[in-house]
Amino acid sequence: MTFAAVAGVACLATSVPAFAGSNASGSARITATVPEVCDISANQFVADTNGLVTGTVQEFCNSNNSYQVVAMHRPLALDEVAVVQYGGIMRDLDMTGLSLIAFRSGQRIENVNVVIDAREIEAPLAVAFTMSPV
């Protein structure tokens, strides 16, 4: 028998409908693995030397694990001060250029209001937010 003939017989055999009685039952098990994803969606915030910068960050995480929200920015001079208000949490930016902003645990999709007070800086300050697992 040729391959085409075998394939044709197989198609006919699988296209016959199945009928069950009114008291019949059945089950199927379907499983899937969803990758863990934790991310922040936001444009970079850029503060000049004279004021406040406001915006919104969207946090997304489908994991039950914990993570930190971190701000990345240029290192600050000894006399520079910049403060971030992240969803009601106030943090001074660290002189090193890497600042811990918030600790999160569990799944979430949330828009977070951000205010950066950069009135005490000598040069413009760009701030980007990211997440890192704990």
Side-chain angles (χ1 to χ4, degrees), residues 22-82:
S22 61
N23 293 332
S25 66
S27 65
R29 181 175 175 188
I30 299 173
T31 61
T33 301
V34 177
E36 289 185 2
V37 177
C38 292
D39 199 8
I40 284 185
S41 176
N43 293 327
Q44 187 175 49
F45 294 80
V46 180
D48 63 19
T49 58
N50 294 323
L52 300 173
V53 176
T54 63
T56 303
V57 168
Q58 184 183 52
E59 293 181 13
F60 169 81
C61 190
N62 68 352
S63 170
N64 286 325
N65 295 325
S66 300
Y67 56 93
Q68 300 175 62
V69 176
V70 177
M72 298 177 296
H73 50 89
R74 68 169 172 78
L76 299 176
L78 289 174
D79 58 344
E80 288 184 306
V81 176

Short mmCIF file of all heavy atoms in Angstrom, two decimals, residues 22-82:
data_model
loop_
_atom_site.label_atom_id
_atom_site.label_comp_id
_atom_site.label_asym_id
_atom_site.label_seq_id
_atom_site.Cartn_x
_atom_site.Cartn_y
_atom_site.Cartn_z
N SER A 22 -26.28 9.56 26.85
CA SER A 22 -26.59 10.73 27.66
C SER A 22 -25.97 10.66 29.05
O SER A 22 -25.78 11.66 29.71
CB SER A 22 -28.10 10.93 27.77
OG SER A 22 -28.66 9.79 28.40
N ASN A 23 -25.62 9.48 29.54
CA ASN A 23 -25.01 9.32 30.86
C ASN A 23 -23.50 9.15 30.78
O ASN A 23 -22.86 8.91 31.79
CB ASN A 23 -25.62 8.12 31.59
CG ASN A 23 -27.08 8.35 31.93
OD1 ASN A 23 -27.49 9.50 32.10
ND2 ASN A 23 -27.85 7.28 32.01
N ALA A 24 -22.93 9.27 29.61
CA ALA A 24 -21.49 9.07 29.44
C ALA A 24 -20.74 10.29 29.96
O ALA A 24 -21.24 11.40 29.97
CB ALA A 24 -21.17 8.83 27.98
N SER A 25 -19.54 10.06 30.43
CA SER A 25 -18.68 11.17 30.87
C SER A 25 -17.27 10.93 30.37
O SER A 25 -16.92 9.82 29.97
CB SER A 25 -18.71 11.30 32.39
OG SER A 25 -18.11 10.15 32.98
N GLY A 26 -16.50 11.95 30.41
CA GLY A 26 -15.12 11.84 29.96
C GLY A 26 -14.31 12.99 30.54
O GLY A 26 -14.85 13.91 31.14
N SER A 27 -13.04 12.93 30.35
CA SER A 27 -12.19 14.01 30.83
C SER A 27 -10.95 14.08 29.96
O SER A 27 -10.62 13.14 29.24
CB SER A 27 -11.80 13.78 32.30
OG SER A 27 -11.01 12.62 32.41
N ALA A 28 -10.33 15.21 30.02
CA ALA A 28 -9.07 15.41 29.31
C ALA A 28 -8.17 16.22 30.22
O ALA A 28 -8.63 17.05 31.02
CB ALA A 28 -9.31 16.16 28.00
N ARG A 29 -6.91 16.00 30.14
CA ARG A 29 -5.95 16.75 30.96
C ARG A 29 -5.07 17.56 30.03
O ARG A 29 -4.43 17.02 29.14
CB ARG A 29 -5.10 15.80 31.78
CG ARG A 29 -4.14 16.53 32.65
CD ARG A 29 -3.38 15.61 33.55
NE ARG A 29 -2.40 16.42 34.26
CZ ARG A 29 -1.48 15.94 35.02
NH1 ARG A 29 -1.39 14.63 35.20
NH2 ARG A 29 -0.64 16.72 35.64
N ILE A 30 -5.10 18.85 30.26
CA ILE A 30 -4.28 19.76 29.46
C ILE A 30 -3.36 20.49 30.41
O ILE A 30 -3.79 21.02 31.43
CB ILE A 30 -5.16 20.77 28.70
CG1 ILE A 30 -6.10 20.03 27.76
CG2 ILE A 30 -4.30 21.77 27.96
CD1 ILE A 30 -7.11 20.92 27.09
N THR A 31 -2.07 20.53 30.10
CA THR A 31 -1.12 21.25 30.94
C THR A 31 -0.33 22.21 30.06
O THR A 31 -0.17 22.00 28.86
CB THR A 31 -0.14 20.30 31.65
OG1 THR A 31 0.59 19.58 30.66
CG2 THR A 31 -0.88 19.32 32.55
N ALA A 32 0.13 23.27 30.70
CA ALA A 32 0.97 24.25 30.00
C ALA A 32 1.93 24.85 31.02
O ALA A 32 1.62 24.96 32.21
CB ALA A 32 0.12 25.35 29.38
N THR A 33 3.07 25.25 30.55
CA THR A 33 4.05 25.93 31.39
C THR A 33 4.15 27.37 30.92
O THR A 33 4.42 27.63 29.75
CB THR A 33 5.43 25.25 31.27
OG1 THR A 33 5.29 23.89 31.67
CG2 THR A 33 6.44 25.95 32.15
N VAL A 34 3.89 28.30 31.84
CA VAL A 34 3.96 29.72 31.52
C VAL A 34 5.26 30.25 32.10
O VAL A 34 5.51 30.10 33.30
CB VAL A 34 2.76 30.48 32.13
CG1 VAL A 34 2.86 31.96 31.88
CG2 VAL A 34 1.46 29.92 31.59
N PRO A 35 6.09 30.87 31.29
CA PRO A 35 7.35 31.39 31.82
C PRO A 35 7.10 32.54 32.79
O PRO A 35 6.15 33.31 32.62
CB PRO A 35 8.10 31.88 30.57
CG PRO A 35 7.05 32.08 29.54
CD PRO A 35 5.94 31.13 29.87
N GLU A 36 7.94 32.66 33.81
CA GLU A 36 7.85 33.77 34.75
C GLU A 36 8.40 35.02 34.08
O GLU A 36 9.49 35.00 33.51
CB GLU A 36 8.63 33.47 36.01
CG GLU A 36 8.00 32.41 36.87
CD GLU A 36 8.73 32.20 38.19
OE1 GLU A 36 9.72 32.90 38.47
OE2 GLU A 36 8.29 31.32 38.94
N VAL A 37 7.63 36.09 34.19
CA VAL A 37 8.04 37.36 33.60
C VAL A 37 7.76 38.46 34.61
O VAL A 37 6.63 38.60 35.09
CB VAL A 37 7.27 37.66 32.29
CG1 VAL A 37 7.66 39.02 31.74
CG2 VAL A 37 7.51 36.58 31.27
N CYS A 38 8.77 39.22 34.95
CA CYS A 38 8.62 40.40 35.79
C CYS A 38 9.34 41.54 35.08
O CYS A 38 10.53 41.41 34.75
CB CYS A 38 9.22 40.19 37.17
SG CYS A 38 8.32 38.99 38.16
N ASP A 39 8.63 42.63 34.83
CA ASP A 39 9.23 43.70 34.05
C ASP A 39 8.58 45.03 34.42
O ASP A 39 7.49 45.07 35.00
CB ASP A 39 9.05 43.43 32.56
CG ASP A 39 10.01 44.23 31.70
OD1 ASP A 39 10.92 44.90 32.23
OD2 ASP A 39 9.85 44.19 30.47
N ILE A 40 9.25 46.09 34.06
CA ILE A 40 8.74 47.45 34.22
C ILE A 40 8.68 48.07 32.84
O ILE A 40 9.62 47.95 32.06
CB ILE A 40 9.64 48.28 35.15
CG1 ILE A 40 9.39 47.87 36.59
CG2 ILE A 40 9.40 49.76 34.97
CD1 ILE A 40 10.13 48.68 37.61
N SER A 41 7.58 48.72 32.58
CA SER A 41 7.42 49.44 31.32
C SER A 41 7.33 50.92 31.63
O SER A 41 6.39 51.37 32.30
CB SER A 41 6.15 48.96 30.62
OG SER A 41 5.93 49.70 29.44
N ALA A 42 8.31 51.67 31.15
CA ALA A 42 8.32 53.12 31.39
C ALA A 42 9.37 53.76 30.50
O ALA A 42 10.37 53.13 30.16
CB ALA A 42 8.63 53.43 32.84
N ASN A 43 9.13 54.98 30.17
CA ASN A 43 10.16 55.76 29.51
C ASN A 43 11.14 56.23 30.57
O ASN A 43 10.83 56.29 31.75
CB ASN A 43 9.54 56.97 28.79
CG ASN A 43 8.67 56.55 27.63
OD1 ASN A 43 8.94 55.55 26.98
ND2 ASN A 43 7.62 57.30 27.40
N GLN A 44 12.32 56.59 30.12
CA GLN A 44 13.33 57.13 31.03
C GLN A 44 12.86 58.51 31.51
O GLN A 44 12.32 59.30 30.75
CB GLN A 44 14.66 57.23 30.29
CG GLN A 44 15.82 57.62 31.16
CD GLN A 44 17.11 57.58 30.38
OE1 GLN A 44 17.19 58.12 29.29
NE2 GLN A 44 18.12 56.96 30.93
N PHE A 45 13.06 58.79 32.78
CA PHE A 45 12.74 60.09 33.35
C PHE A 45 13.99 60.95 33.29
O PHE A 45 15.06 60.50 33.69
CB PHE A 45 12.30 59.94 34.81
CG PHE A 45 11.00 59.20 34.98
CD1 PHE A 45 10.95 57.82 34.94
CD2 PHE A 45 9.82 59.89 35.19
CE1 PHE A 45 9.76 57.14 35.10
CE2 PHE A 45 8.62 59.22 35.35
CZ PHE A 45 8.59 57.85 35.31
N VAL A 46 13.87 62.17 32.80
CA VAL A 46 15.02 63.08 32.73
C VAL A 46 14.66 64.36 33.47
O VAL A 46 13.72 65.06 33.10
CB VAL A 46 15.42 63.39 31.28
CG1 VAL A 46 16.61 64.34 31.25
CG2 VAL A 46 15.74 62.11 30.52
N ALA A 47 15.42 64.63 34.52
CA ALA A 47 15.20 65.82 35.35
C ALA A 47 16.29 66.84 35.05
O ALA A 47 17.47 66.48 34.96
CB ALA A 47 15.23 65.44 36.82
N ASP A 48 15.88 68.09 34.90
CA ASP A 48 16.89 69.13 34.77
C ASP A 48 17.19 69.67 36.17
O ASP A 48 16.72 69.15 37.17
CB ASP A 48 16.45 70.22 33.80
CG ASP A 48 15.21 70.97 34.25
OD1 ASP A 48 14.88 70.92 35.45
OD2 ASP A 48 14.58 71.61 33.40
N THR A 49 17.96 70.74 36.25
CA THR A 49 18.43 71.22 37.54
C THR A 49 17.42 72.09 38.27
O THR A 49 17.71 72.57 39.36
CB THR A 49 19.73 72.03 37.34
OG1 THR A 49 19.46 73.10 36.43
CG2 THR A 49 20.84 71.16 36.81
N ASN A 50 16.25 72.30 37.71
CA ASN A 50 15.31 73.25 38.31
C ASN A 50 13.97 72.69 38.73
O ASN A 50 13.04 73.46 38.93
CB ASN A 50 15.05 74.40 37.33
CG ASN A 50 16.29 75.21 37.10
OD1 ASN A 50 17.07 75.42 38.00
ND2 ASN A 50 16.50 75.62 35.86
N GLY A 51 13.77 71.39 38.82
CA GLY A 51 12.41 71.05 39.14
C GLY A 51 12.07 69.61 39.36
O GLY A 51 12.91 68.77 39.63
N LEU A 52 10.79 69.37 39.20
CA LEU A 52 10.20 68.06 39.42
C LEU A 52 9.89 67.40 38.08
O LEU A 52 9.52 68.06 37.12
CB LEU A 52 8.89 68.20 40.20
CG LEU A 52 8.97 68.84 41.58
CD1 LEU A 52 7.57 69.04 42.14
CD2 LEU A 52 9.80 67.99 42.52
N VAL A 53 9.99 66.08 38.06
CA VAL A 53 9.59 65.29 36.91
C VAL A 53 8.56 64.29 37.40
O VAL A 53 8.76 63.65 38.44
CB VAL A 53 10.80 64.54 36.30
CG1 VAL A 53 10.36 63.64 35.17
CG2 VAL A 53 11.86 65.51 35.84
N THR A 54 7.45 64.18 36.68
CA THR A 54 6.41 63.23 37.07
C THR A 54 6.13 62.28 35.91
O THR A 54 6.37 62.61 34.75
CB THR A 54 5.11 63.95 37.47
OG1 THR A 54 4.62 64.66 36.34
CG2 THR A 54 5.33 64.89 38.62
N GLY A 55 5.60 61.13 36.25
CA GLY A 55 5.24 60.16 35.22
C GLY A 55 4.66 58.91 35.85
O GLY A 55 4.38 58.87 37.05
N THR A 56 4.52 57.89 35.04
CA THR A 56 3.93 56.63 35.48
C THR A 56 4.80 55.47 35.01
O THR A 56 5.33 55.50 33.90
CB THR A 56 2.51 56.46 34.91
OG1 THR A 56 1.72 57.57 35.32
CG2 THR A 56 1.86 55.19 35.42
N VAL A 57 4.92 54.48 35.85
CA VAL A 57 5.63 53.24 35.56
C VAL A 57 4.61 52.12 35.65
O VAL A 57 3.79 52.11 36.57
CB VAL A 57 6.76 53.02 36.58
CG1 VAL A 57 7.32 51.63 36.50
CG2 VAL A 57 7.86 54.05 36.41
N GLN A 58 4.65 51.17 34.71
CA GLN A 58 3.78 50.00 34.83
C GLN A 58 4.62 48.81 35.25
O GLN A 58 5.58 48.44 34.57
CB GLN A 58 3.06 49.67 33.53
CG GLN A 58 2.10 48.50 33.73
CD GLN A 58 1.39 48.06 32.47
OE1 GLN A 58 2.02 47.81 31.47
NE2 GLN A 58 0.08 47.96 32.54
N GLU A 59 4.25 48.23 36.40
CA GLU A 59 4.90 47.01 36.88
C GLU A 59 4.07 45.82 36.42
O GLU A 59 2.84 45.84 36.51
CB GLU A 59 4.96 46.98 38.41
CG GLU A 59 5.84 48.01 39.03
CD GLU A 59 5.85 47.89 40.54
OE1 GLU A 59 5.37 46.86 41.09
OE2 GLU A 59 6.33 48.82 41.19
N PHE A 60 4.75 44.78 35.95
CA PHE A 60 4.08 43.54 35.55
C PHE A 60 4.89 42.37 36.09
O PHE A 60 6.09 42.31 35.86
CB PHE A 60 3.97 43.43 34.04
CG PHE A 60 3.52 42.06 33.59
CD1 PHE A 60 2.18 41.73 33.61
CD2 PHE A 60 4.43 41.11 33.19
CE1 PHE A 60 1.76 40.47 33.24
CE2 PHE A 60 4.02 39.84 32.81
CZ PHE A 60 2.67 39.53 32.82
N CYS A 61 4.24 41.48 36.82
CA CYS A 61 4.92 40.27 37.28
C CYS A 61 3.90 39.16 37.43
O CYS A 61 2.85 39.34 38.05
CB CYS A 61 5.63 40.52 38.62
SG CYS A 61 6.72 39.14 39.07
N ASN A 62 4.19 38.00 36.85
CA ASN A 62 3.30 36.84 36.97
C ASN A 62 3.89 35.77 37.87
O ASN A 62 3.47 34.63 37.85
CB ASN A 62 2.94 36.27 35.59
CG ASN A 62 4.13 35.63 34.90
OD1 ASN A 62 5.27 35.73 35.36
ND2 ASN A 62 3.88 34.98 33.78
N SER A 63 4.87 36.15 38.68
CA SER A 63 5.54 35.21 39.57
C SER A 63 5.11 35.44 41.01
O SER A 63 4.78 36.56 41.40
CB SER A 63 7.06 35.40 39.45
OG SER A 63 7.72 34.67 40.46
N ASN A 64 5.15 34.41 41.81
CA ASN A 64 4.87 34.55 43.24
C ASN A 64 6.14 34.89 44.02
O ASN A 64 6.10 35.02 45.24
CB ASN A 64 4.24 33.27 43.79
CG ASN A 64 2.80 33.16 43.36
OD1 ASN A 64 2.09 34.14 43.24
ND2 ASN A 64 2.35 31.93 43.12
N ASN A 65 7.26 35.01 43.34
CA ASN A 65 8.51 35.31 44.01
C ASN A 65 8.61 36.80 44.33
O ASN A 65 7.78 37.60 43.92
CB ASN A 65 9.69 34.89 43.13
CG ASN A 65 9.72 33.39 42.93
OD1 ASN A 65 9.38 32.63 43.83
ND2 ASN A 65 10.10 32.94 41.75
N SER A 66 9.65 37.18 45.05
CA SER A 66 9.88 38.57 45.43
C SER A 66 10.88 39.22 44.48
O SER A 66 11.73 38.55 43.89
CB SER A 66 10.44 38.63 46.85
OG SER A 66 9.52 38.07 47.75
N TYR A 67 10.76 40.54 44.36
CA TYR A 67 11.69 41.29 43.53
C TYR A 67 11.82 42.70 44.06
O TYR A 67 11.03 43.16 44.88
CB TYR A 67 11.26 41.29 42.06
CG TYR A 67 9.85 41.81 41.83
CD1 TYR A 67 9.62 43.14 41.53
CD2 TYR A 67 8.75 40.96 41.90
CE1 TYR A 67 8.35 43.62 41.32
CE2 TYR A 67 7.47 41.44 41.70
CZ TYR A 67 7.28 42.77 41.41
OH TYR A 67 6.01 43.25 41.20
N GLN A 68 12.87 43.37 43.60
CA GLN A 68 13.14 44.75 43.98
C GLN A 68 12.96 45.66 42.78
O GLN A 68 13.29 45.28 41.67
CB GLN A 68 14.58 44.89 44.46
CG GLN A 68 14.94 44.05 45.64
CD GLN A 68 16.41 44.16 45.95
OE1 GLN A 68 16.91 45.23 46.25
NE2 GLN A 68 17.11 43.05 45.87
N VAL A 69 12.46 46.86 43.03
CA VAL A 69 12.43 47.89 42.02
C VAL A 69 13.67 48.75 42.26
O VAL A 69 13.92 49.20 43.39
CB VAL A 69 11.15 48.74 42.11
CG1 VAL A 69 11.19 49.88 41.09
CG2 VAL A 69 9.92 47.87 41.91
N VAL A 70 14.46 48.94 41.22
CA VAL A 70 15.73 49.64 41.32
C VAL A 70 15.75 50.80 40.33
O VAL A 70 15.27 50.67 39.21
CB VAL A 70 16.90 48.66 41.01
CG1 VAL A 70 18.24 49.36 41.03
CG2 VAL A 70 16.88 47.49 41.99
N ALA A 71 16.30 51.93 40.77
CA ALA A 71 16.51 53.07 39.88
C ALA A 71 17.97 53.12 39.48
O ALA A 71 18.87 52.99 40.33
CB ALA A 71 16.12 54.37 40.59
N MET A 72 18.20 53.27 38.18
CA MET A 72 19.56 53.41 37.65
C MET A 72 19.73 54.85 37.17
O MET A 72 18.86 55.37 36.46
CB MET A 72 19.80 52.42 36.52
CG MET A 72 19.67 50.98 36.96
SD MET A 72 19.86 49.80 35.60
CE MET A 72 18.45 50.23 34.60
N HIS A 73 20.84 55.47 37.53
CA HIS A 73 21.09 56.87 37.20
C HIS A 73 22.58 57.13 37.28
O HIS A 73 23.34 56.29 37.73
CB HIS A 73 20.32 57.78 38.17
CG HIS A 73 20.54 57.43 39.62
ND1 HIS A 73 21.56 57.97 40.37
CD2 HIS A 73 19.89 56.55 40.44
CE1 HIS A 73 21.53 57.46 41.59
NE2 HIS A 73 20.52 56.59 41.65
N ARG A 74 22.99 58.31 36.87
CA ARG A 74 24.42 58.64 36.97
C ARG A 74 24.79 58.79 38.44
O ARG A 74 23.94 59.09 39.28
CB ARG A 74 24.72 59.92 36.19
CG ARG A 74 24.12 61.16 36.80
CD ARG A 74 24.68 62.43 36.15
NE ARG A 74 23.97 63.60 36.60
CZ ARG A 74 24.15 64.20 37.77
NH1 ARG A 74 25.01 63.72 38.64
NH2 ARG A 74 23.45 65.29 38.08
N PRO A 75 26.06 58.58 38.76
CA PRO A 75 26.49 58.82 40.14
C PRO A 75 26.27 60.29 40.52
O PRO A 75 26.43 61.18 39.69
CB PRO A 75 27.98 58.47 40.13
CG PRO A 75 28.14 57.54 38.97
CD PRO A 75 27.13 58.00 37.95
N LEU A 76 25.89 60.51 41.76
CA LEU A 76 25.64 61.87 42.22
C LEU A 76 26.89 62.43 42.88
O LEU A 76 27.65 61.71 43.55
CB LEU A 76 24.49 61.88 43.24
CG LEU A 76 23.13 61.39 42.72
CD1 LEU A 76 22.12 61.36 43.86
CD2 LEU A 76 22.65 62.25 41.58
N ALA A 77 27.09 63.74 42.73
CA ALA A 77 28.19 64.42 43.41
C ALA A 77 27.86 64.52 44.90
O ALA A 77 26.71 64.36 45.31
CB ALA A 77 28.39 65.81 42.80
N LEU A 78 28.86 64.80 45.70
CA LEU A 78 28.67 64.86 47.15
C LEU A 78 27.60 65.86 47.58
O LEU A 78 26.90 65.64 48.56
CB LEU A 78 30.00 65.21 47.84
CG LEU A 78 31.06 64.11 47.82
CD1 LEU A 78 32.36 64.63 48.40
CD2 LEU A 78 30.58 62.90 48.58
N ASP A 79 27.46 66.96 46.85
CA ASP A 79 26.49 67.99 47.24
C ASP A 79 25.17 67.89 46.49
O ASP A 79 24.32 68.75 46.63
CB ASP A 79 27.10 69.38 47.06
CG ASP A 79 27.55 69.64 45.64
OD1 ASP A 79 27.67 68.69 44.86
OD2 ASP A 79 27.77 70.82 45.31
N GLU A 80 24.97 66.84 45.70
CA GLU A 80 23.71 66.66 44.97
C GLU A 80 22.74 65.79 45.76
O GLU A 80 23.14 64.83 46.41
CB GLU A 80 23.96 66.00 43.61
CG GLU A 80 24.64 66.90 42.61
CD GLU A 80 24.77 66.23 41.25
OE1 GLU A 80 25.30 65.10 41.20
OE2 GLU A 80 24.31 66.82 40.28
N VAL A 81 21.46 66.15 45.69
CA VAL A 81 20.41 65.37 46.33
C VAL A 81 19.25 65.26 45.34
O VAL A 81 18.83 66.25 44.75
CB VAL A 81 19.90 66.04 47.62
CG1 VAL A 81 18.74 65.25 48.21
CG2 VAL A 81 21.03 66.18 48.63
N ALA A 82 18.76 64.04 45.16
CA ALA A 82 17.57 63.80 44.35
C ALA A 82 16.70 62.80 45.11
O ALA A 82 17.21 61.83 45.67
CB ALA A 82 17.93 63.29 42.98
#
